[in-house]
């Protein structure tokens, strides 16, 4: 994956390489070397050395931001201008065509010519490139040692569209020429810094640029220029098309449309690792333009690319999960990744076991976004009410209650038999039931581990504390079950302590079960953990304060009369501050409100002061701070994270069930019991919106159960009598009453009882939906704030675009006004000239008339 995220342009070249190769980095070139060249110099390498010197002395970008500082940027522009002027001066000083040709054909490091080196520099001028091609047209066809033409270098280093057009015109075949890694100039075009920028964003960065200067420089025009000869269909050494490069490095929608138009099949093509363009866009989801790429790919052909696995059996969302480990400081990267995730989920990928596992492996901040999406909640609601998950839920609950009840009875019998001397031993039947429950829980965990390993997600099982709680429960059930079955000798205190801890773990397992089935209970439990996490600093400060007061009270009363009285009368209640551990326990109970008799502290003034200070600081002040922190923290979990918490828990359970069922399907397939095309659903359920839902094998017959239950519910329709026009005086009315009575008191209870005995397997789907389906989460305050922020950002973008457009229009209007003014001035000048001519004519005519009069 590193070759997609941090891939460089290639060895010996590129934006940062400058073609140095084995040249000593300490080589010093005088800044004056980049300027003019003596007219008398006839060395054929002089022109090459001039460009090479400029390249070696070019300022390097900051290693952190990969951008030039403003001062360095100005120096770079000055050096580039000196270089272009130096080339023009050299060419002007050498009018001889042979001298020019020899200089243009001179090859330096890595077989590069002056034209190669010029194309490596930033934004070479059109006249310089044309002049070098005129000196020797064949150099435009020469590859360097990496197989790069000047066109490759120009595409990679951001040359203008006019320069690229000149190179293409001079050597049209260069558009499909491949380097040693089989990359065309079109592949290199996506290394440009402006590859992901549209025309408007470039104008926002350079608002003073003239509109005419951008003609032919937009990325879509450049791609269209390079892709019209079949370059879009050529793969590099990794099997990647230009469409793969565009998806991985990011680009605009217009560029993708150009690539799709010239090669429509490219959107579904897979490179050597089996990844299509969507895989590459998702693994680079943090990039600025990745949401645009993902949205375009899914809009064009989501059906054929969204559910594709690569050669490592990874869906696109797997790659998003692996590449999205960004800290909270990376705000824009997180936003881009979350936008890509939402676009992917809105395209409704298939709810396979691999897909649910991928959702589980997402970072927590991305998983919170995923579980509140409509698609994920629809999937979880649909899968939780299927027969197999319902059966597991009911069996889990039944065995938990059974083991709690049986363990309580057997521990009481064992304590009476071993430590109280009763003659009745522990019932072996009840102990056997404990072993049955332990075997069930053990089998469930083993199948879960195997299924997770089969999906390559064993880490999610290890990282789930609920699984370790189950392991501890299994161990303790089996251990104490063995102790009670064999009546092994054990100390009473150890047995009582161990069984008490076991009972606590059992009830914690009940809490964990309820957390995955009821949203209100899930919010409460998660709220408790969230509050405890937020209270870490408070609890530390409180512990220090309690230790301080307990130690001060202990020191004050050490060897005092109160402590001596406690020693003289051991049967009386001892004074609490005569021992440090009892002093600590006493201040803790005082914190809880058990202040006690204040007269006990009246014997010593310092004790009274400490008592008053403790009552104010701890009992009054810190208790209210605690209440405020708990209230605020629980409000956050209830108002903003309740949906995320519950659906994340449900996702874990459904993913486990799907993983177990997936292992069963693979076993059936290995045994030859599967049929049909791989992955094709054997049964589907029609829905009102016309979109079929695939049904698993255990859902066969659910349609009949659903129809039967619906028929029973129709008997209790309030409008039944009006629909069939049945009156109490008719026989049909009393037949309906009799049928209702039988259905309500016999059929429905019997059906529900049979379904309960079969762990929900024979229940109608409506009952399972009523028990376990949850309403979709409403938008939270955090989501609303996020939406408002997005709308504000969109408005800012639109305002910026309008501002740029207005500036462009004003600039155009100014040009028109200037042209109009020039025309008016020209017309005015012409009119004045005509008036002067008329004046001269009139003066001449007047003089002639005077002459005629004088002659008469």
């Amino acid at each position: 994956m590193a070759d997609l995220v941090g891939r460089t342009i290639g060895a010996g070249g590129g934006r940062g390489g400058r073609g140095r190769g084995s040249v000593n980095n300490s080589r010093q070139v005088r800044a004056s070397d980049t300027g003019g060249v003596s007219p008398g110099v006839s060395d054929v390498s002089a022109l090459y050395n001039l460009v090479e010197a400029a390249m070696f002395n070019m300022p390097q970008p900051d290693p952190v931001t990969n951008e030039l500082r403003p001062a360095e940027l100005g120096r770079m522009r000055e050096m580039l201008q000196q270089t272009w002027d130096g080339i023009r001066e050299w060419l002007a000083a050498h009018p001889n065509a042979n001298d020019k040709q020899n200089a243009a054909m001179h090859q330096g490091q890595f077989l590069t010519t002056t034209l190669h080196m010029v194309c490596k520099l930033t934004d070479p001028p059109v006249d310089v490139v044309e002049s070098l091609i005129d000196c020797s047209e064949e150099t435009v066809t020469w590859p360097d040692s990496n197989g790069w033409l000047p066109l490759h270098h120009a595409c990679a280093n951001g040359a203008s569209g006019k320069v690229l057009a000149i190179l293409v015109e001079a050597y049209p075949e260069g558009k499909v020429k491949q380097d040693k890694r089989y990359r065309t100039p079109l592949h290199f075009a996506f290394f440009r810094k402006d590859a992901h920028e549209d025309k408007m964003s470039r104008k926002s960065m350079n608002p003073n640029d003239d509109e005419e200067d951008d003609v032919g420089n937009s990325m879509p025009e450049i791609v269209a220029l390079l892709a019209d000869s079949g370059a879009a269909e050529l793969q590099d050494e990794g099997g990647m098309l230009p469409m793969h490069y565009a998806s991985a490095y990011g680009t605009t929608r217009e560029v993708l449309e150009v690539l799709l138009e010239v090669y429509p099949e490219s959107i579904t093509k897979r490179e050597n690792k089996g990844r299509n363009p969507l895989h590459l866009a998702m693994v680079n989801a943090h990039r600025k333009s990745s949401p645009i790429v993902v949205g375009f790919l899914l809009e064009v052909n989501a059906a054929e690319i969204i559910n594709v696995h690569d050669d490592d059996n990874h869906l696109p969302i797997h790659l998003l999960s692996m590449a999205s480990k960004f800290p909270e400081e990376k705000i824009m990267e997180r936003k881009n990744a979350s936008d890509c995730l939402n676009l992917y989920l809105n395209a409704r990928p298939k709810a396979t076991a691999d897909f649910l596992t991928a959702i589980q492996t997402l970072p927590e901040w991305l998983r919170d976004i995923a579980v509140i999406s409509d698609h994920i909640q629809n999937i979880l609601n649909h899968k939780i009410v299927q027969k197999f998950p319902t059966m597991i839920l009911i069996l889990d609950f039944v065995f938990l209650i059974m083991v709690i009840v049986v363990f309580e009875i057997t521990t009481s019998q064992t304590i009476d038999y071993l430590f109280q001397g009763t003659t009745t031993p522990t019932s072996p039947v009840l102990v056997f039931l404990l072993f049955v429950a332990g075997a069930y829980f053990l089998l469930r965990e083993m199948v879960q581990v195997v299924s997770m390993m089969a999906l390559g997600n064993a880490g999610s099982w290890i990282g789930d504390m609920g699984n370790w709680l189950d392991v501890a429960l299994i161990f303790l059930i089996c251990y104490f079950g063995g102790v009670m079955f064999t009546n092994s000798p054990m100390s009473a205190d150890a047995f009582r302590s161990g069984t008490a801890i076991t009972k606590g773990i059992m009830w914690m397992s009940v809490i964990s079960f309820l957390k995955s089935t009821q949203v209100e209970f899930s919010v409460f439990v998660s709220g408790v953990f969230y509050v405890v996490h937020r209270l870490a600093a408070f609890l530390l400060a409180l512990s220090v304060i309690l230790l301080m007061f307990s130690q001060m009270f202990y020191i004050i009363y050490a060897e005092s009369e109160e402590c001596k009285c406690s020693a003289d009368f051991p049967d009386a209640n001892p004074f609490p501050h005569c021992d440090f551990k009892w002093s600590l326990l006493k201040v803790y109970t005082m914190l809880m409100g058990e202040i006690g008799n204040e007269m006990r502290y009246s014997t010593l003034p310092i004790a009274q002061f400490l008592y008053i200070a403790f009552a104010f600081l701890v009992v009054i002040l810190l208790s209210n701070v605690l209440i405020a922190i708990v209230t605020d923290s629980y409000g956050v979990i209830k108002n903003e994270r309740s949906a995320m918490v519950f659906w994340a828990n449900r996702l874990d359970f459904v993913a486990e069930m799907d993983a177990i069922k997936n292992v069963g399907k693979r076993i059936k397939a290995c045994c030859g019991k599967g049929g049909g095309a791989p992955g094709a659903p054997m049964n589907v359920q029609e829905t009102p919106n016309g979109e079929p839902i695939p049904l698993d094998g255990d859902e066969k017959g659910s349609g009949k159960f659903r129809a039967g239950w619906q028929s029973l519910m129709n008997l209790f329709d309030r409008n039944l009598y009006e629909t069939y026009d049945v009156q109490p005086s008719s026989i049909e009315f009393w037949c309906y009453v009799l049928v209702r009575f039988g259905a309500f008191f016999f059929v429905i209870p019997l059906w529900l009882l049979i379904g309960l005995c079969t762990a929900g397997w024979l229940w109608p789907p409506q009952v399972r939906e009523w028990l376990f389906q949850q309403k979709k989460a409403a938008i939270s305050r955090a989501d609303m704030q996020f939406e408002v922020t997005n709308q504000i950002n969109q408005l800012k973008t639109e305002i910026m675009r309008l501002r740029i457009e207005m500036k462009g229009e004003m600039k155009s209007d100014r040009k028109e006004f200037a042209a109009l003014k020039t025309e008016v001035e020209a017309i005015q000048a012409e009119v004045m000239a005509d008036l002067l001519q008329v004046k001269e004519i009139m003066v001449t005519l007047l003089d002639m008339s005077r002459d005629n009069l004088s002659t008469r």
Side-chain angles (χ1 to χ4, degrees), residues 35-43 46 86 88-96 99:
V37 179
S38 174
V41 176
S42 59
D43 185 7
R88 295 185 183 103
E89 291 176 10
W90 193 97
L91 294 174
H94 295 78
N96 186 278
D99 290 344

Side-chain angles (χ1 to χ4, degrees), residues 369-544:
I369 296 173
V371 295
I372 61 174
S373 69
D374 288 342
H375 182 56
I376 296 298
Q377 291 183 11
N378 286 334
I379 290 173
L380 298 180
N381 270 335
H382 169 68
K383 287 184 173 291
I384 196 70
V385 298
Q386 292 179 355
K387 293 180 180 179
F388 182 72
T390 300
M391 181 188 70
I392 296 298
L393 280 174
I394 294 176
L395 288 178
D396 285 351
F397 183 73
V398 169
F399 275 103
L400 274 175
I401 298 302
M402 182 188 76
V403 78
I404 289 174
V405 174
V406 172
F407 195 80
E408 176 65 26
I409 297 173
T410 52
T411 50
S412 299
Q413 292 178 349
T414 302
I415 291 173
D416 292 340
Y417 179 73
L418 292 179
F419 309 118
Q420 301 297 330
T422 61
T423 58
T424 305
T426 307
S427 173
V429 175
L430 295 179
V431 176
F432 177 75
L433 290 178
L434 285 179
F435 285 122
V436 171
Y440 167 77
F441 292 127
L442 178 61
L443 177 64
R444 190 181 182 291
E445 289 301 318
M446 291 178 62
V447 172
Q448 181 181 341
V449 171
V450 171
S451 59
M452 288 297 178
M453 292 177 62
L455 292 174
N457 192 29
S460 65
W461 186 93
I462 297 175
D464 189 354
M465 295 305 298
N467 294 324
W468 293 106
L469 181 67
D470 295 338
V471 171
L473 177 63
I474 294 169
F475 172 78
L476 291 173
I477 288 175
C478 294
Y479 175 77
F480 285 104
V483 170
M484 290 183 288
F485 184 77
T486 58
N487 291 322
S488 302
M490 191 177 189
S491 67
D493 291 339
F495 183 81
R496 292 190 181 98
S497 300
T499 53
I501 293 173
T502 304
K503 291 177 183 180
I505 293 177
M506 289 178 181
W507 286 110
M508 289 175 62
S509 299
V510 173
I511 293 175
S512 177
F513 171 82
L514 294 175
K515 188 176 69 170
S516 63
T517 56
Q518 296 296 323
V519 62
E520 295 83 3
F521 200 82
S522 175
V523 171
F524 171 75
V525 175
S526 301
V528 171
F529 284 104
Y530 184 77
V531 168
V532 171
H533 178 72
R534 290 285 302 273
L535 286 175
F538 175 83
L539 293 176
L540 179 61
L542 181 63
S543 300
V544 172

Side-chain angles (χ1 to χ4, degrees), residues 198-205 800-801 804-805:
D198 56 14
K199 192 172 184 179
M200 187 61 66
S201 62
R202 291 199 307 275
K203 287 293 291 180
S204 65
M205 295 174 61
M800 178 63 71
R801 288 180 179 272
I804 295 171
E805 290 177 1

Side-chain angles (χ1 to χ4, degrees), residues 59-72:
Q60 298 298 316
D62 186 88
V64 177
T65 62
N66 199 28
E67 297 288 342
L68 287 173
R69 292 182 289 272
E72 297 292 335

